[in-house]
Amino acid sequence: MDSSETTKAQSNDKQFYQNVIVMRHGDRADNFEPFWVSTAARPWDPHIVEEGRVRAFCTGRRLRANLGFPIDRIFVSPFLRCIQTAYEVVSALCSVDDDPTVMSSDAVVSLDPSKVKVSIEYGLCEMLNREAIRHNMAPKDGDFGFVTSELEALLPAGTVDSSVKQVYDQLPQWEETVAGARERYAQVIKALADKYPFENLLLVTHGEGVGVSVSAFLKDVTVYEVDYCAYTELRRPISGDNESFTAGDFEVLTNPVQSGISYLPASATNAGDNE
C-alpha cells in the first residue's frame, strides 16, 4: 500500500494517530572548514560536508526502517544545509533497493518519487537574528537570495509538490527575537500538522526548531543541545475526516538518551542559575 492509499485508509477510520518528525540538518561546512566563510559568496548559507550527507542519508534509512509508519510529506527550510539534508533523507526513504551498504544518495540506483512529496517552507528557516547568524555574515541588503523554484530544483526529481501554499511565503524580518522565532517554529509545526491532519510529516529545520518541537509540547523542560540530524517524534490522535476533524494534544515520544536531543526539567536549569 503506497502512502496515498495509507492516508485514505487512515482518514476513513474513526481515529488514528498523526505523526510529525522534526529533524535538524546535517553537519554544516562553516563548523568544519574554518576558511570557507572568507571566500563564500553566501556566507550565511553554508552547505553540509560529506559527513553530513552520510549522516542525513543514514538517518533517513533509520526512519524508513524503524518508524512503523510512512512519511507522506516533507517540509524543508530554504537554507541550503536543510535542502541538502532533505535530498539525502528523501533518497533513503524512496530508494527502490534498500541496500544496507549504500551510505549516501550518490550510490542510489533508482528512486520511487511517488513515496513522498516535498515542499519548501520559509517558516522553518533559521532564526534570523545575531544569535544564529553573525551580523557580519548576514546579507547587507537584507536579501537572503532564496528563490523557491531554484530551491525546488535541488530536490530529487519527481518528489516536489509546488502547489502547496506555504505557511510563511517569505522569510521573517531580520533581527526577530529569540522568543519570536520560537513562537514561529511552534506555530508552523502546528499549522502544517493541521493542514494535513491525515498525513505523517517530516520537517527538516534547524537546531532551535527541533528544540521548540520538544519544549513547546513537553512542558517545563529546557533543551540545551541538539545534535546534527537529531529528530523529535511527535504524535497526536485525530478523529473525523478531512472536512471536519478533531485533534488531540501532541505527545513527545522522543527518548533523550537515543535521539541526540538533550534536555532537562526547567526547574533543574533554574536551580543552576541561582547557584
Side-chain angles (χ1 to χ4, degrees):
M1 179 181 291
D2 65 24
S3 61
S4 62
E5 290 172 335
T6 300
T7 300
K8 183 177 180 180
Q10 290 172 331
S11 64
N12 287 332
D13 291 341
K14 290 183 178 179
Q15 185 181 72
F16 88 105
Y17 283 92
Q18 181 188 34
N19 302 277
V20 178
I21 307 298
V22 187
M23 175 181 171
R24 189 186 180 193
H25 57 77
D27 312 42
R28 52 187 289 173
D30 53 346
N31 284 342
F32 295 89
E33 301 171 5
F35 299 108
W36 176 83
V37 166
S38 62
T39 59
R42 295 165 55 88
W44 60 85
D45 195 20
H47 60 279
I48 58 175
V49 296
E50 182 61 23
E51 291 86 348
R53 294 181 64 228
V54 171
R55 192 190 307 273
F57 186 87
C58 291
T59 302
R61 174 183 286 139
R62 189 162 68 249
L63 293 173
R64 175 173 176 166
N66 297 336
L67 284 180
F69 54 82
I71 296 294
D72 300 302
R73 286 187 181 272
I74 299 177
F75 293 93
V76 189
S77 159
F79 280 79
L80 181 59
R81 54 191 178 274
C82 292
I83 299 290
Q84 292 177 326
T85 298
Y87 190 102
E88 296 300 319
V89 172
V90 170
S91 297
L93 292 175
C94 297
S95 175
V96 173
D97 299 312
D98 189 21
D99 183 347
T101 66
V102 171
M103 300 300 289
S104 77
S105 61
D106 290 341
V108 173
V109 176
S110 179
L111 294 181
D112 178 0
S114 69
K115 286 182 175 291
V116 69
K117 293 302 178 188
V118 190
S119 302
I120 308 298
E121 173 51 61
Y122 285 86
L124 292 173
C125 73
E126 179 66 277
M127 290 196 300
L128 294 191
N129 56 39
R130 302 183 199 197
E131 295 284 335
I133 303 173
R134 289 189 292 274
H135 185 62
N136 62 331
M137 299 301 173
K140 300 206 180 335
D141 61 0
D143 182 5
F144 282 79
F146 295 127
V147 178
T148 301
S149 60
E150 294 177 0
L151 298 173
E152 291 174 341
L154 300 176
L155 294 165
T159 64
V160 173
D161 184 354
S162 57
S163 69
V164 169
K165 181 175 174 56
Q166 297 162 322
V167 178
Y168 277 66
D169 60 5
Q170 58 185 358
L171 292 175
Q173 290 295 311
W174 172 250
E175 292 289 23
E176 64 177 340
T177 64
V178 172
R182 289 172 177 169
E183 183 177 347
R184 163 170 62 85
Y185 287 128
Q187 175 208 352
V188 170
I189 292 169
K190 181 72 162 50
L192 290 172
D194 285 347
K195 191 171 185 179
Y196 301 97
F198 294 101
E199 298 186 46
N200 299 314
L201 311 181
L202 169 62
L203 315 182
V204 181
T205 183
H206 303 263
E208 195 67 35
V210 177
V212 168
S213 71
V214 175
S215 61
F217 303 107
L218 188 63
K219 300 305 181 186
D220 300 321
V221 301
T222 298
V223 177
Y224 61 89
E225 187 172 7
V226 177
D227 294 342
Y228 289 123
C229 291
Y231 61 86
T232 310
E233 182 178 349
L234 306 175
R235 183 179 71 175
R236 66 176 182 171
I238 301 286
S239 58
D241 55 39
N242 283 313
E243 299 300 322
S244 177
F245 70 91
T246 301
D249 293 334
F250 274 116
E251 175 186 7
V252 179
L253 302 181
T254 301
N255 182 332
V257 175
Q258 299 173 341
S259 68
I261 304 168
S262 302
Y263 56 88
L264 291 170
S267 57
T269 57
N270 292 337
D273 292 340
N274 294 328
E275 290 179 354

